[in-house]
Amino acid sequence: MCGRFAASRGPEDLAGVFGVERWEPAEALAPDWNVAPTKEVLVVLDRPLKDAPERRPVRQLRVLKWGLVPSWAKSPEGAARMINARSETLHEKPSFRRPFARQRCIVPADGYYEWVTAHDERELEVEGKKKRARKQPYFVLPSDGSVFAMAGIYEFWRDRTLPDDHPLAWWATCSVITAEAETGPLAGAPDASAGGPRSLSEIHPRMPLMLTPDRWDAWLDPARTDEAELRALLEPPPGGLMRAYPVSTSVSNVRNNGPELLTELEAPEEATLF
């Protein structure tokens, strides 16, 4: 899954990477090394500019809230539960079907965090001797240091309790698409004798779907609506593009935020994991 990620790149950097034509400096977000559900995030999307004489899609950087609120929802209360959409079923789910067809985006990140339960802790939890096992966070990122382009969808929701001219009358929200985690070896994975995760699936069974650059234009194109073509874009990228390393348990507290959260540890802080 994707329940926390880091996004430290600024709009100028992202605009260059993704070929963005339009972004508002006033909407620039500060670097965030601990993005949690319902926070604001920068996303890349292709959409006609409001009130523009030419209705062609324009590639933009927009600020959206992470946690999708369906357009038909009566309230935004379920947003924190809609941070992820499963790639296998989003074309069927009422909450995701419409945005998948026409409102797709890319959520740029440095990488994402995932927590692993130590083996001994897990055994105690299974035996009922421990109510909540300790978990070791790992940071997962592209091995070449490039932007992690997470596939996403977005939606607009109208708050009917507010007048039309209220700045919060419309919510723009998004969800990150997830897929089965890779079972092949991670880039730079240790051998079996060294311990540590050797694949993403050993960390968690799900992962954010990473879009390689050759799929960006097709994914963002709102004119592309054929379901079979869109589902083909959900195929996982080639294996071996990701690496993972242990980081401080400080990231588990959403109040902690700073580049030190990405510092690679020589060994996990918790008990033996693998």
Side-chain angles (χ1 to χ4, degrees), residues 141-144 182 184-190 197-199 239-244:
L141 70 162
S143 59
D144 62 1
E182 296 176 2
L186 287 160
R198 292 168 293 280
S199 68
L241 299 181
M242 310 298 291
R243 65 180 293 251

Side-chain angles (χ1 to χ4, degrees), residues 45-158:
L45 55 84
D46 285 5
R47 188 176 181 84
L49 295 174
K50 187 178 180 181
D51 301 326
E54 190 178 4
R55 298 299 293 168
R56 69 175 182 87
V58 175
R59 185 152 302 174
Q60 308 171 49
L61 266 180
R62 298 282 294 272
V63 174
L64 275 61
K65 188 182 291 287
W66 185 27
L68 190 138
V69 180
S71 59
W72 42 261
K74 294 182 179 180
S75 77
E77 292 179 358
R81 299 191 301 271
M82 306 280 276
I83 58 172
N84 294 158
R86 296 174 68 94
S87 62
E88 300 89 344
T89 58
L90 84 168
H91 65 287
E92 302 170 341
K93 300 296 184 181
S95 298
F96 304 135
R97 189 168 52 217
R98 191 176 83 98
F100 174 55
R102 295 185 179 276
Q103 294 173 179
R104 299 174 300 276
C105 64
I106 291 174
V107 184
D110 304 323
Y112 71 99
Y113 301 101
E114 196 56 81
W115 281 257
V116 181
T117 303
H119 179 270
D120 293 343
E121 297 277 320
R122 195 160 46 232
E123 290 296 315
L124 290 173
E125 189 177 30
V126 170
E127 295 172 8
K129 297 178 180 179
K130 194 175 186 68
K131 290 185 177 180
R132 186 174 182 181
R134 294 175 297 174
K135 294 187 177 184
Q136 170 64 49
Y138 275 76
F139 189 62
V140 183
L141 70 162
S143 59
D144 62 1
S146 61
V147 176
F148 192 154
M150 300 189 294
I153 52 177
Y154 67 97
E155 185 61 284
F156 297 100
W157 178 77
R158 174 69 167 89

